[in-house]
């Protein structure tokens, strides 16, 4: 909403954006329809095919949704030429949306994660959670959210990170959860890199797996991003927050547990946070500690039922990241100044 | 349009004979099996698999009599062309000669009915020139060229569009040793086999590299790029490890172990003693292995020269396992059988398998028991 609003205020009539899982694309489609703007969404191909009804949802709100890489942009065509069977990635979809905005009149690019203003907008989550807990005289010992580009994690954790940094609550444990297949915070390099595949964005100081890394097609499509929010990266670098990584099957196991106990079917992305919350709670049971655990359930899984089906069919590979070999492979590349 | 228009069919009429009478294979023992009262079973299995192929406009070339012609007639496919006449009784040499005649005829697919022994004879002649598919009828079927059962043959053969081919290992069990209850297998050859989409991948949509050749090339490029100077890389059998050699431009032994140092081949088709000599005292090395066979063996099938002593010298943590996404989708578990159970346990409960450029999967090792 704020991104659409401020763009409209500035006289912009059309927004172009990327979407991974489809949540951000749906949200921006609604927001632009609210402010009578046009909207074009580049949706990562793997997700586009896994969840066809996301596209419908965006269409209901008047947005155009294209499978990315598409033939509409030069960066999309280049990617398709390189690998016609590519699964796409957030990095590629961002390139397409940026190029679209740069080549169309009165069009701006809107990013759904990573950047500071997006993290700021999302901080309503943590601010409100902190208020709610305060109303019952509680404060979390552990704060957990999944990390794709970092926006829901930032939104959940930043208010608590603030309390930690200012010494109000120095012991709060802040955990970001990412897929083992795309372990940006746990295995990435802290360096300047592009936010997109084609290198159209400014460089950002962040943890990165390399802007040309196309993560395996895990079902948590929203977590398939090579980089991370610079502020989130810095907090992890400084030890204010920490990160863990999980395999697909253990994530879906937790999603099922949560669905059966709470009646809410979570998105695979959100289930990363749930799995870690369960793990922390089980650890407490072992040690006998009582902890208040706050986690963000970042989305429902109603469009992800095909991935639940694959889980039940035993068809979910536990995608992994061969970090030593990748390090060896990168060390041989010519250094680019 | 189906990918296969002309099909060469060869039936080993004696395949499977030994199984019923407990002979663990029939190679060279058909007479004894018949004397023990065994019923030939291959012709019926072949006819069952062939029947759904009738009326699809396919052209069949085959060997006369029991080696194919009769099975086709029973299946309601009368107008096949006999391009080879076997001796009576027929032998393995007849299987090979029939396959040579098929290749001369320019067939698109060689369909055989038999077991591992027949697969070996077919592979000797056909190699990777033409795809091969097995109708399962043997005693031993450890090779991965066989359709799941005779009924799935038609679905694979009649699948629309261009053929989706995968590598398949022809595994040869030492029958003499096997009869003495000593299970020893050798990776005998690698052929190309067709698979029907959906048949091997169940309900999963294909998001990964579906093309085995491209997947293999990506793996080869990644490992070649990741090779460190001064480190000895031992490349095991198979075409996935072969893709590494191909990328490096060195000539690899398909079924044996080769050694690469600083991008150059420093030893080919090595025996255990060669490997130990190359490793010397404490030379840093990596063992690069493909996932082998339908059973998912990483060590223990075709890797016998890599003895426990060799593995200990390299260090079990220095294993690099390679497998295409397609292969892993067909392989629920990985297996390690070094001959030393204590060493086998060093490879569990998960192994990481490199599946593409910079991508990997974690796979369970061992029998289907909870972690
Ligand atoms: C349900 C859900 N959770 C989390 C994310 C990850 O995004 P971020 O890290 O920006 O919160 C996504 C992204 O699509 C998502 O759909």
């Amino acid at each position: 909403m704020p991104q659409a609003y401020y763009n409209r205020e500035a006289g912009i009539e059309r927004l172009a954006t990327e979407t991974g899982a489809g949540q951000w694309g749906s949200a921006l489609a609604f927001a632009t329809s609210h402010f009578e703007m046009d909207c074009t969404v580049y949706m990562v191909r793997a997700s586009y095919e896994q969840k066809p009804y996301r596209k419908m949802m965006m269409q209901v709100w008047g947005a155009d949704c294209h499978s990315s890489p598409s033939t509409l942009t030069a960066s999309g065509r280049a990617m398709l030429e390189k690998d016609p069977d590519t699964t796409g990635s957030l990095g590629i979809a961002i390139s397409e949306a940026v190029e679209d905005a740069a080549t169309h009149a009165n069009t701006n690019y809107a990013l759904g994660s990573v950047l500071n203003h997006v993290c700021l907008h999302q901080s309503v989550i943590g601010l409100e959670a902190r208020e709610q807990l305060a109303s019952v005289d509680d404060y979390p010992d552990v704060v957990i959210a999944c990390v794709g580009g970092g926006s829901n994690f930032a939104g959940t954790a930043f208010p608590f990170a603030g309390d930690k940094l200012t010494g109000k609550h120095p012991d709060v444990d802040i955990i970001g959860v990412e897929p083992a297949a795309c372990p940006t915070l746990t295995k990435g390099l802290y360096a300047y890199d592009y936010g997109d595949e084609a290198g159209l964005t400014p460089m950002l100081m962040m943890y990165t797996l390399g802007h040309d890394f196309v993560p395996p097609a895990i079902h948590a499509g929203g977590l398939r991003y090579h980089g991370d929010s610079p502020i989130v990266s810095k907090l992890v670098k400084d030890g204010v927050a920490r990160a863990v990584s999980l395999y697909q099957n253990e994530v879906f196991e937790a999603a099922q547990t949560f669905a059966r106990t709470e009646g809410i079917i979570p998105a695979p992305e959100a289930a990363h946070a749930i799995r870690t919350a369960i793990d922390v709670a089980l650890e407490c049971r072992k040690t006998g500690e009582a902890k208040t655990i706050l986690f963000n359930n970042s989305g429902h899984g109603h469009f992800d039922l095909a991935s639940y089906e694959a889980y039940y069919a035993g068809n979910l590979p536990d995608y992994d990241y061969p970090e030593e070999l990748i390090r060896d492979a990168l060390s041989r590349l010519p250094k680019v100044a | 349009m189906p990918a296969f228009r002309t099909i060469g069919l060869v039936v080993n009429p004696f395949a499977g004979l030994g199984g019923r009478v407990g002979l663990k294979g029939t190679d060279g023992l058909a007479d004894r099996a018949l004397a023990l009262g065994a019923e030939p079973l291959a012709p019926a299995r072949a006819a069952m698999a062939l029947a759904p192929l009738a009326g699809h406009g396919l052209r069949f070339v085959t060997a006369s009599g029991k080696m194919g012609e009769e099975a086709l007639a029973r299946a309601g496919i009368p107008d096949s062309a006999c391009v080879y006449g076997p001796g009576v009784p027929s032998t393995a040499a007849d299987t090979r000669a029939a396959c040579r005649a098929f290749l001369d005829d320019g067939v698109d697919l060689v369909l055989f009915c038999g077991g591992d022994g027949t697969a070996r004879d077919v592979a000797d002649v056909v190699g990777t020139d033409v795809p091969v598919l097995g109708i399962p009828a043997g005693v031993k079927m450890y090779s991965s060229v066989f359709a799941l059962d005779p009924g799935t043959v038609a679905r694979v053969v009649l699948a629309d569009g261009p053929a989706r081919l995968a590598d398949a290992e022809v595994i040869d069990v030492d029958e003499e040793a096997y009869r003495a209850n000593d299970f020893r297998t050798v990776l005998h050859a690698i052929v190309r086999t067709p698979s029907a989409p959906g048949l091997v991948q169940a309900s999963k949509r294909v998001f990964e590299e579906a093309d085995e050749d491209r997947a293999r090339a990506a793996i080869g490029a990644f490992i070649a790029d990741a090779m460190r100077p001064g480190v000895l890389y031992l490349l095991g059998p198979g075409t996935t490890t072969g893709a590494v050699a191909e990328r490096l431009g060195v000539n690899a032994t398909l079924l044996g172990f080769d050694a690469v140092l600083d991008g150059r081949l420093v030893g080919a088709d090595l025996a255990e003693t060669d490997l130990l000599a190359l490793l010397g005292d404490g030379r840093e090395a990596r063992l690069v292995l493909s996932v082998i066979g339908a059973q998912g063996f990483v060590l223990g099938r075709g890797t016998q020269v890599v003895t426990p002593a060799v593995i200990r010298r390299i260090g079990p943590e220095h294993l690099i396992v390679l497998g295409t996404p397609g292969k892993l989708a067909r392989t629920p578990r990985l297996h390690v059988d070094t001959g030393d159970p204590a060493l086998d346990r060093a490879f569990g409960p998960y192994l990481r398998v490199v599946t593409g450029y910079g991508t990997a999967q974690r796979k369970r090792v061992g029998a289907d028991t909870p972690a």
Side-chain angles (χ1 to χ4, degrees):
Chain A
M1 275 291 178
Q3 288 210 44
Y5 172 77
Y6 286 114
N7 272 296
R8 180 77 245 190
E9 286 288 284
I12 298 296
E13 291 165 334
R14 179 171 171 269
L15 290 180
T17 196
E18 79 293 330
T19 194
Q23 293 225 119
W24 166 252
S26 309
L28 196 69
F30 174 67
T32 46
S33 78
H34 199 78
F35 297 111
E36 295 178 339
M37 302 168 78
D38 292 329
C39 183
T40 295
V41 182
Y42 293 87
M43 182 166 178
V44 175
R45 184 192 211 163
S47 298
Y48 186 93
E49 289 177 14
Q50 281 159 341
K51 320 176 224 203
Y53 294 131
R54 274 285 173 195
K55 174 190 172 194
M56 269 301 117
M57 197 169 179
M58 292 178 228
Q59 194 173 334
V60 167
W61 286 314
D64 291 325
C65 175
H66 304 287
S67 172
S68 165
S70 73
T71 52
L72 300 174
T73 66
S75 33
R77 288 189 294 270
M79 192 65 209
L80 284 172
E81 186 151 321
K82 200 162 99 190
D83 180 5
D85 296 328
T86 181
T87 54
S89 72
L90 273 165
I92 296 165
I94 293 172
S95 290
E96 291 210 276
V98 169
E99 185 185 326
D100 178 309
T103 53
H104 287 83
N106 225 357
T107 298
N108 264 3
Y109 166 67
L111 182 61
S113 186
V114 183
L115 299 181
N116 294 347
H117 63 281
V118 187
C119 295
L120 176 77
H121 295 155
Q122 296 267 356
S123 62
V124 290
I125 306 168
L127 291 169
E128 191 171 321
R130 195 172 57 181
E131 290 294 311
Q132 286 186 20
L133 284 166
S135 74
V136 293
D137 293 326
D138 208 341
Y139 189 90
D141 299 295
V142 189
V143 175
I144 302 166
C146 66
V147 186
S151 67
N152 93 92
F153 173 82
T156 310
F158 282 4
F160 300 98
D163 291 349
K164 190 170 184 171
L165 286 165
T166 55
K168 266 194 240 163
H169 289 276
D171 296 326
V172 57
D173 186 11
I174 302 173
I175 309 174
V177 192
E178 56 188 14
C182 187
T184 314
L185 294 171
T186 49
K187 310 262 170 73
L189 211 65
Y190 190 61
Y192 275 103
D193 196 6
Y194 295 108
D196 70 315
E197 203 268 344
L200 302 174
T201 69
M203 300 237 263
L204 303 167
M205 186 68 184
M206 61 183 175
Y207 279 102
T208 176
L209 300 171
H211 62 274
D212 56 355
F213 177 66
V214 178
I218 50 167
H219 284 271
L223 306 185
R224 292 181 64 225
Y225 186 57
H226 67 274
D228 254 317
S229 145
I231 301 182
V232 170
S233 297
K234 176 78 173 138
L235 288 175
V236 171
K237 176 92 182 139
D238 292 348
V240 178
R242 63 190 177 99
V244 297
S245 68
L246 296 174
Y247 292 96
Q248 280 203 106
N249 284 293
E250 55 188 345
V251 165
F252 274 89
E253 189 188 11
Q256 174 184 286
T257 303
F258 186 73
R260 290 187 180 173
T261 46
E262 300 293 329
I264 298 166
I265 296 178
E269 292 84 0
H272 283 72
I274 293 170
R275 173 75 209 203
T276 301
I278 292 175
D279 286 346
V280 171
L282 289 175
E283 192 56 35
C284 285
R285 183 185 281 172
K286 248 192 243 158
T287 60
E289 285 172 286
K291 281 186 182 171
T292 300
I293 302 165
L294 171 71
F295 70 88
N296 185 37
N297 181 11
S298 58
H300 69 71
H302 298 178
F303 291 103
D304 298 281
L305 293 174
S307 59
Y308 279 81
E309 185 184 21
Y311 169 65
Y312 289 124
N315 275 340
L316 286 187
D318 269 338
Y319 292 115
D320 205 345
Y321 182 79
E323 74 263 22
E324 303 89 0
L325 289 169
I326 286 180
R327 210 173 304 127
D328 289 343
L330 289 178
S331 70
R332 291 181 20 133
L333 292 180
K335 295 277 175 291
V336 183
Chain B
M1 199 173 92
F4 308 112
R5 317 280 302 170
T6 302
I7 296 171
L9 171 79
V10 61
V11 176
N12 171 2
F14 301 112
L17 267 184
R20 299 284 174 85
V21 290
L23 285 182
K24 302 181 180 173
T26 324
D27 296 358
L29 289 175
D31 288 349
R32 207 169 128 203
L34 288 168
L36 284 166
E39 293 270 338
L41 146 157
R45 303 269 291 180
M48 201 192 307
L50 292 165
L53 295 175
H56 283 278
L58 300 171
R59 180 174 164 262
F60 279 91
V61 294
T62 189
S64 57
K66 291 192 174 11
M67 282 195 71
E69 187 186 13
E70 285 177 17
L72 283 164
R74 264 168 85 167
I77 307 172
D79 45 357
S80 60
C82 287
V83 292
Y84 178 72
V88 182
S90 58
T91 66
D94 289 309
T95 303
R96 290 192 290 266
C99 287
R100 263 188 296 272
F102 298 161
L103 292 186
D104 289 344
D105 190 88
V107 298
D108 304 317
L109 173 73
V110 173
L111 194 58
F112 73 91
C113 182
D116 281 333
T118 320
R120 193 182 55 202
D121 297 331
V122 172
D124 283 345
V125 174
V126 179
T128 52
D129 293 347
V130 169
V132 168
L133 182 64
I135 301 168
V139 179
K140 298 168 281 93
M141 286 175 289
Y142 293 97
S143 305
S144 27
V145 283
F146 293 102
L148 291 176
D149 53 67
T152 60
V153 171
R155 287 175 59 196
V156 174
V157 172
L158 296 174
D160 238 8
R164 287 157 51 97
L165 299 180
D167 274 3
E169 296 88 353
V170 172
I171 288 184
D172 197 7
V173 178
D174 181 333
E175 286 196 3
E176 286 292 321
Y178 187 39
R179 286 188 197 103
N181 281 327
D182 177 10
F183 188 81
R184 235 183 284 152
T185 56
V186 184
L187 176 62
H188 182 82
I190 289 173
V191 296
R192 311 274 286 148
T193 199
S195 60
L199 208 63
V200 287
Q201 293 242 335
S203 71
K204 186 162 142 257
R205 264 168 270 170
V206 181
F207 292 117
E208 295 159 80
E209 191 56 83
D211 182 308
E212 296 266 328
D213 286 335
R214 292 225 327 234
R216 245 191 318 271
I219 295 169
F222 178 48
I223 300 302
D225 284 353
M227 285 185 160
R228 293 194 350 228
V231 176
L232 185 72
Y233 290 84
L234 301 176
L235 303 182
T239 50
T240 318
T241 44
V244 180
E246 205 168 297
R247 176 67 174 212
L248 293 170
V250 304
N251 225 335
T253 318
L254 184 60
L255 301 180
F257 275 82
D258 301 325
V260 170
L261 181 66
D262 295 328
R264 285 192 316 274
L265 194 68
V266 293
D269 204 5
L270 301 162
E272 184 200 11
T273 46
D274 306 325
L275 290 169
L276 288 172
L278 271 172
L279 288 164
D281 300 319
R283 171 184 277 292
E284 192 176 351
R286 299 284 182 277
L287 189 56
V288 185
L289 299 171
S290 312
V291 176
I292 295 285
Q295 289 81 15
F297 274 94
V298 172
L299 279 165
R301 300 291 178 267
T303 60
Q304 277 80 351
V305 297
V306 183
T307 56
V310 171
I311 297 166
R312 288 217 163 82
R313 190 78 64 88
I314 298 167
E317 71 281 12
H318 288 149
L319 190 65
I320 300 172
V321 185
L322 315 178
T324 60
K327 169 135 230 165
L328 291 188
R330 296 186 295 270
T331 312
R333 297 268 167 158
L334 300 183
H335 296 281
V336 170
D337 176 14
T338 61
D340 176 344
L343 183 58
D344 291 351
R345 280 193 290 279
F347 299 102
Y350 296 101
L351 274 176
R352 178 179 281 168
V353 183
V354 173
T355 54
Y357 200 102
T359 57
Q361 288 183 26
R362 182 181 79 154
K363 284 297 254 194
R364 281 300 292 273
V365 180
D368 201 349
T369 46

